[in-house]
Amino acid sequence: MTDQFGRNIDYLRISITDRCNLRCRYCMPEGVDLVEHRDLLRYEELLAVARAAVPLGITHFKVTGGEPLVRRGCLEFLKELKALPGVETVTLTTNGTLLAPLVKDLARLGIDGVNISLDTTDPVEYARITGTDCLAEVLRSIGACVEAGIATKLNCVLLVDCRDHLVPLAALARDRAIDVRFIEQMPIGAGGHGLDGDTALEILRSQWPDLHPVEERRGFGPAVYYASGALRGRIGFISALSHKFCGNCNRVRLTSTGLLKPCLCYGEGTDLRRVLRQTPEGLSAALAEAVFRKPRAHCFGDPAAVTEQKRMNEIGG
Ligand code: SAM
Ligand code: SF4
């Protein structure tokens, strides 16, 4: 459906849990007060939201968290979501630590893509950023996804001190057809100031001078992609701060407690959990209203205007 500014909204990110086995320093370094299980949407409630979203033209779904794979039953949920009539794509965003043993099942259920978050290939740095030593598991998961033929993207947050990490990360796209994407850090949760996408591109060009932009559609998001003759995969940039892309935004988000968030930087949203539990017949109308009222643009350029207090692990990224 189109929102009040004529944008076509066809993509919903669903955070299925606020829990996570990592403590990324820009997300939830000290952990957080976890929400009660009864406050999380149950899988059947999430499926009800998806069923209501499809007739509105929202047919692409991303399952995220917290870490989605720590919630019991995630695989079965993905399978049911993928099988819903009208659903076009279902993808998963994960930190990759628990993924490798599940890859064959994901391929079997027809997952349309997996995004794996990885900010460095250096084990010491990885431990410093995430608070854990799971790098080997993540690398194993990346290999397993590629082997299973799953469309795989790596997501790397551009930290202020990440310059040395960029070339080794991008080199993961050298021999394998995976896309490596660099994401500007956003002032949400523990996120602060980071490197910008243009600086990251400059650093990568010192290694691959022929990196050039390509007009390719490689998903449903705002990433801008670059290619090099020396890389099989593409290098992507998601530069929400330095290259605002709100005019083309196609998405809304559902938090783990059922708040439908029309824009990342505002805390306001529509409480779909209340609707689901008290007036379920109003679900479609509530969803349509929330999508229609999506704000024109984010306000990260004006920190005083940012009203979002939740962390990324509740929102889902
Ligand atoms: N745990 C999963 C993961 O890490 O992929 C899914 C949830 S995580 C919140 C989703 C994405 O948000 C990850 O790629 C993570 O790096 C990103 N993220 C978290 N905090 C961020 C911030 N402050 N700015 C930009 N991206 C952030
Ligand atoms: Fe967990 Fe993902 Fe947040 Fe890292 S970014 S702490 S993996 S939810």
Side-chain angles (χ1 to χ4, degrees), residues 26-27 64-67 93-95 117 155 157 184-186 188 191 312 316-317:
Y26 46 79
C27 183
T64 174
E67 173 48 41
T93 291
T94 167
N95 62 33
S117 300
N155 285 341
V157 174
E184 285 182 353
Q185 200 177 157
M186 284 172 269
I188 295 273
M312 278 298 202

Side-chain angles (χ1 to χ4, degrees), residues 113-156:
V114 173
N115 291 2
I116 300 175
S117 300
L118 180 64
D119 302 325
T120 177
T121 55
D122 179 281
V124 175
E125 280 300 309
Y126 182 87
R128 202 169 66 81
I129 294 169
T130 67
T132 71
D133 60 357
C134 299
L135 177 62
E137 281 91 332
V138 181
L139 295 174
R140 199 172 312 128
S141 296
I142 295 169
C145 283
V146 173
E147 200 175 311
I150 295 175
T152 308
K153 292 175 182 160
L154 302 190
N155 285 341
C156 159

Side-chain angles (χ1 to χ4, degrees), residues 78-134:
L78 288 166
K79 195 168 162 185
E80 289 182 34
L81 181 58
K82 178 69 186 161
L84 283 185
V87 168
E88 289 187 63
T89 65
V90 174
T91 54
L92 175 73
T93 291
T94 167
N95 62 33
T97 57
L98 306 168
L99 176 65
L102 307 174
V103 163
K104 287 200 173 113
D105 287 331
L106 286 170
R108 217 169 287 133
L109 72 81
I111 195 91
D112 295 285
V114 173
N115 291 2
I116 300 175
S117 300
L118 180 64
D119 302 325
T120 177
T121 55
D122 179 281
V124 175
E125 280 300 309
Y126 182 87
R128 202 169 66 81
I129 294 169
T130 67
T132 71
D133 60 357
C134 299

Side-chain angles (χ1 to χ4, degrees), residues 181-240:
R181 298 146 20 119
F182 295 95
I183 301 174
E184 285 182 353
Q185 200 177 157
M186 284 172 269
I188 295 273
H193 181 65
L195 211 64
D196 64 89
D198 290 346
T199 306
L201 175 59
E202 215 173 283
I203 293 169
L204 295 175
R205 277 197 168 134
S206 65
Q207 178 75 20
W208 297 286
D210 69 332
L211 273 171
H212 57 278
V214 284
E215 296 283 333
E216 291 172 351
R217 190 152 169 79
R218 303 180 75 77
F220 303 98
V224 174
Y225 285 98
Y226 286 70
S228 158
L231 299 173
R232 281 186 68 194
R234 298 285 181 256
I235 303 300
F237 296 91
I238 302 176
S239 304

